Amino acid sequence: MWLSLASSALCITVMFIISWISALIIFAFFFLVFVYMNHRHVGKINVLFFSEVNWGSSIQANTYRIALTSLLKLSNIEEHVKNYRPQILLMTGNPAARSTLLDFAYSITKDNSLLIAAHVVPYAPCERLFAVVRRLDVQITTWLLANKIKAFYLPFANENVRSGAQHLLQIAGLGKLRPNILMLGFKSNWNRRGVDGLQATLDYVGIIKDAFENNFGVGILRNGNEGFDLSEKLLELNVCDITALKHHNSESANGSLKGRDNASFLDKEHINDETSFSDSIDSRRLNREDTDFVDVDSGYHVDLVKTNTVYRRTTKFFADSVVFNSEKSRSDEDLKSSLSKKRGFKTSILTEKQKKLAIQMNRFHRKVKNGVIDVWWLYDDGGVTLLIPHLLRLPKAYLEGAKLRVFTQASSEACTKADERNMAAMLSKFRIEYADVRIIPDISRPPSQATLDLFLKIRDFEEIIEPMRARENDSRLGLITDFDLSSQKCRTFRQLRTKELLQQHSSNADLIVITLPVPRLEINSCLYMAWLDSMTRGLPPVLMVRGNQTSVLTFYS
């Protein structure tokens, strides 16, 4: 190897001795070729009318070797609190259908830590399913790359969601690149189906318990009154036109949809066969509800990924703050003209409902100016409740530069001022910038009578738990009994008091981060969900998070 290097250096020297002008021209030519190939991606070249061909590259082989060597070295390094990274296992289902949840998690990890988008495919493993999962893996990975989200997609086939999650908690990651936080979206429809949805609720709470038992931290995000699964809305608003998508597959693959090309995807008026399109939507809705695997193999899940990719690329321009914030007072004509000049797109291709959906899809994608994050640090969990909001206000996050307000409970009513000074000093030592520190002296007292009147009557709390109440002749395990309500009365009052304080202090925040109550074995799963539901209902986005008691903050740099 060294002999070859010396020989090449000698040849270059001889080139310059013979004709330094010719040598410079040759170097410039090969430099331009290198820039061109690098722009076309390493190892790929487009030759005239031939399609892209991967000729292979020693750089690819060397990249693999370096990554493998680095991972092996990392496995032998002892962990230290200064090098802690929140490595997230995100239970997204299909990431393309829950892009808002993925955007939020990516705001935490950015380019600095691991993010795995886990998808439990609810079918029994078989040869045909494996083929579909492989295709889904390729297309989701392409979708992540197109949306500039640095994450790994991990599908796992299992008929039971909790069983699949248990496997993912054990096998996700490699070496030191293993997740330490499980993040889920809040199951807002946990009581909608009544006793028919009991098993799904038990599985959901069971996944949280499994995460704690596996020494994971847990984060649950509630997106206000909106959910995360946008697949039904995409279908209803004529976004998922699979036929049109396949027709324009070459344009969508390169992200080159412009002008009227978007209409075939986004506007019902420009669909050639409106009847067949509506029929295809209805048939796909039936396919989603059917549990027969034949419907999965039809490619619906794979096509949905492509459709959401196109929709996300085209509609993110309409969620720009230039359009929806600074230009609210302008007329529609001026707005369309301004947007057309700045972006090269026409607003007429989107209906009002589609624009609202575009804003919803980009809620955690576009940056919020002058944002406010309220942190309710109620229990010591190692510091995750403080670390995550700090990361969310750093550059590249959607709440970059947001004000951080910290709320915590007082050790006693007489020590409120001292607790406030101690908390401020501790945050300064942790190098966490904050705008305000507030000590709540009476967080442990029962909720006010007004809150009790509101929540303990049928109008709210009783209405929440009513679908999951045990009847006289119903002996199914998991339903809420009178004994559960009486034995957990103090904890119920504690959650209602927390709800009261959140409404009083944080109703105008852009994000609320609060310590997640632990679902202990003696707590009924449905009652636990009722606590979380009532505590976060009617509020801005709320992240309920709980660490695994591992210290993640340190005074030392």
Side-chain angles (χ1 to χ4, degrees):
M1 182 180 69
W2 295 108
L3 180 61
S4 301
L5 180 62
S7 300
S8 61
L10 181 61
C11 291
I12 293 174
T13 304
V14 172
M15 285 174 57
F16 277 92
I17 292 175
I18 295 174
S19 176
W20 64 272
I21 296 178
S22 301
L24 287 177
I25 293 174
I26 292 173
F27 269 91
F29 172 76
F30 280 103
F31 177 75
L32 292 176
V33 171
F34 170 78
V35 171
Y36 171 76
M37 294 184 67
N38 188 58
H39 177 71
R40 297 293 299 173
H41 301 299
V42 176
K44 290 187 177 181
I45 185 169
N46 193 353
V47 183
L48 297 179
F49 301 104
F50 296 97
S51 59
E52 287 190 351
V53 178
N54 189 348
W55 298 101
S57 170
S58 59
I59 297 178
Q60 295 175 353
N62 194 45
T63 301
Y64 173 83
R65 185 186 63 82
I66 293 174
L68 180 61
T69 304
S70 300
L71 185 58
L72 291 172
K73 288 182 179 179
L74 189 63
S75 299
N76 297 321
I77 297 176
E78 185 178 356
E79 293 182 355
H80 193 277
V81 62
K82 290 195 295 184
N83 299 321
Y84 176 84
R85 296 285 188 276
Q87 303 185 118
I88 297 177
L89 177 64
L90 182 66
M91 302 296 293
T92 60
N94 188 334
R98 295 177 177 84
S99 57
T100 50
L101 182 60
L102 188 63
D103 284 336
F104 183 86
Y106 185 62
S107 289
I108 299 173
T109 60
K110 295 184 278 291
D111 302 336
N112 299 317
S113 56
L114 177 68
L115 175 59
I116 298 177
H119 182 187
V120 179
V121 182
Y123 294 93
C126 65
E127 183 178 355
R128 296 173 62 196
L129 177 63
F130 293 151
V132 173
V133 169
R134 284 193 296 269
R135 294 201 304 269
L136 189 62
D137 189 5
V138 172
Q139 295 203 3
I140 287 290
T141 302
T142 304
W143 183 86
L144 292 171
L145 179 63
N147 286 274
K148 299 180 180 179
I149 297 176
K150 296 182 180 179
F152 296 95
Y153 174 65
L154 180 59
F156 188 87
N158 196 294
E159 290 180 295
N160 182 269
V161 175
R162 183 180 181 183
S163 178
Q166 289 173 338
H167 286 87
L168 288 169
L169 289 170
Q170 298 177 66
I171 67 173
L174 189 64
K176 289 295 177 67
L177 290 180
R178 289 184 178 275
N180 48 33
I181 295 177
L182 176 72
M183 185 171 289
L184 310 93
F186 181 72
K187 187 176 177 61
S188 57
N189 63 343
W190 66 275
N191 61 348
R192 192 169 301 168
R193 296 173 55 198
V195 294
D196 293 335
L198 175 62
Q199 189 57 48
T201 301
L202 296 179
D203 288 343
Y204 182 84
V205 179
I207 292 173
I208 300 174
K209 294 179 180 179
D210 295 335
F212 282 122
E213 291 176 358
N214 280 274
N215 202 32
F216 275 66
V218 176
I220 302 176
L221 179 65
R222 180 165 190 172
N223 187 18
N225 295 324
E226 303 171 354
F228 291 103
D229 189 356
L230 302 177
S231 55
E232 285 294 335
K233 291 185 178 180
L234 292 172
L235 289 170
E236 291 174 3
L237 296 179
N238 300 335
V239 177
C240 293
D241 183 4
I242 308 301
T243 305
L245 175 67
K246 291 181 178 179
H247 180 69
H248 294 276
N249 190 39
S250 59
E251 291 89 352
S252 64
N254 295 321
S256 59
L257 293 172
K258 295 181 180 179
R260 301 297 294 178
D261 290 339
N262 288 329
S264 61
F265 294 94
L266 304 177
D267 199 341
K268 186 174 181 178
E269 297 176 359
H270 302 286
I271 297 173
N272 295 329
D273 190 351
E274 183 176 323
T275 304
S276 62
F277 177 72
S278 301
D279 293 340
S280 67
I281 291 179
D282 294 335
S283 64
R284 286 182 174 85
R285 283 176 179 161
L286 293 175
N287 288 348
R288 292 188 62 183
E289 297 174 358
D290 198 346
T291 57
D292 189 2
F293 172 66
V294 175
D295 295 326
V296 178
D297 200 33
S298 65
Y300 162 66
H301 291 79
V302 179
D303 289 338
L304 181 60
V305 175
K306 291 183 179 179
T307 304
N308 282 331
T309 302
V310 176
Y311 187 77
R312 182 88 177 272
R313 288 176 182 171
T314 53
T315 58
K316 64 182 179 182
F317 297 104
F318 302 98
D320 197 330
S321 58
V322 175
V323 178
F324 290 100
N325 293 330
S326 62
E327 302 191 19
K328 281 183 179 179
S329 59
R330 300 180 60 181
S331 64
D332 293 339
E333 290 75 13
D334 293 339
L335 182 61
K336 292 179 181 180
S337 175
S338 173
L339 184 63
S340 178
K341 291 178 181 178
K342 292 178 181 179
R343 300 294 188 180
F345 283 79
K346 297 181 180 180
T347 56
S348 60
I349 62 175
L350 289 179
T351 64
E352 290 299 323
K353 290 184 178 180
Q354 289 170 343
K355 290 179 182 179
K356 291 180 180 179
L357 179 58
I359 296 175
Q360 184 179 353
M361 290 182 68
N362 291 277
R363 180 167 191 172
F364 301 116
H365 184 72
R366 70 180 189 274
K367 292 186 178 180
V368 177
K369 293 183 179 180
N370 303 320
V372 176
I373 304 176
D374 281 357
V375 181
W376 289 78
W377 194 19
L378 304 181
Y379 305 97
D380 183 15
D381 59 352
V384 174
T385 308
L386 275 178
L387 177 63
I388 288 181
H390 171 68
L391 296 176
L392 284 171
R393 58 181 306 276
L394 296 180
K396 296 184 180 180
Y398 84 101
L399 284 171
E400 178 181 346
K403 295 180 180 179
L404 201 66
R405 301 189 301 186
V406 180
F407 298 80
T408 188
Q409 56 184 334
S411 57
S412 64
E413 294 188 9
C415 300
T416 302
K417 293 295 183 181
D419 290 339
E420 185 175 336
R421 289 193 298 269
N422 292 336
M423 176 59 69
M426 185 177 65
L427 292 175
S428 299
K429 289 182 179 180
F430 285 147
R431 299 175 299 281
I432 295 178
E433 297 181 9
Y434 61 92
D436 192 13
V437 174
R438 300 184 186 182
I439 306 298
I440 308 298
D442 54 351
I443 194 172
S444 299
R445 72 172 176 81
S448 65
Q449 188 60 42
T451 303
L452 289 176
D453 292 341
L454 177 64
F455 284 93
L456 295 184
K457 289 184 178 179
I458 297 178
R459 286 184 296 171
D460 205 313
F461 191 74
E462 286 290 343
E463 190 177 59
I464 291 175
I465 65 175
E466 178 61 27
M468 294 299 184
R469 288 295 300 270
R471 305 294 186 263
E472 293 183 0
N473 299 326
D474 197 341
S475 59
R476 278 178 287 188
L477 295 177
L479 295 176
I480 302 174
T481 63
D482 293 336
F483 175 77
D484 292 325
L485 292 176
S486 60
S487 62
Q488 302 297 332
K489 185 177 180 179
C490 292
R491 287 175 175 166
T492 300
F493 280 7
R494 174 62 181 256
Q495 307 310 323
L496 295 180
R497 172 59 178 160
T498 303
K499 165 72 173 183
E500 186 179 69
L501 293 171
L502 290 175
Q503 289 280 16
Q504 179 181 349
H505 296 282
S506 301
S507 57
N508 295 323
D510 294 287
L511 176 68
I512 301 173
V513 181
I514 187 170
T515 307
L516 174 71
V518 176
R520 304 185 184 278
L521 294 177
E522 67 272 13
I523 299 176
N524 181 281
S525 295
C526 292
L527 182 59
Y528 178 77
M529 289 297 296
W531 290 347
L532 301 185
D533 193 355
S534 61
M535 184 174 64
T536 58
R537 178 172 291 194
L539 291 171
V542 180
L543 175 64
M544 297 168 280
V545 63
R546 187 84 174 222
N548 57 2
Q549 302 303 321
T550 300
S551 297
V552 302
L553 298 172
T554 179
F555 295 150
Y556 308 103
S557 58

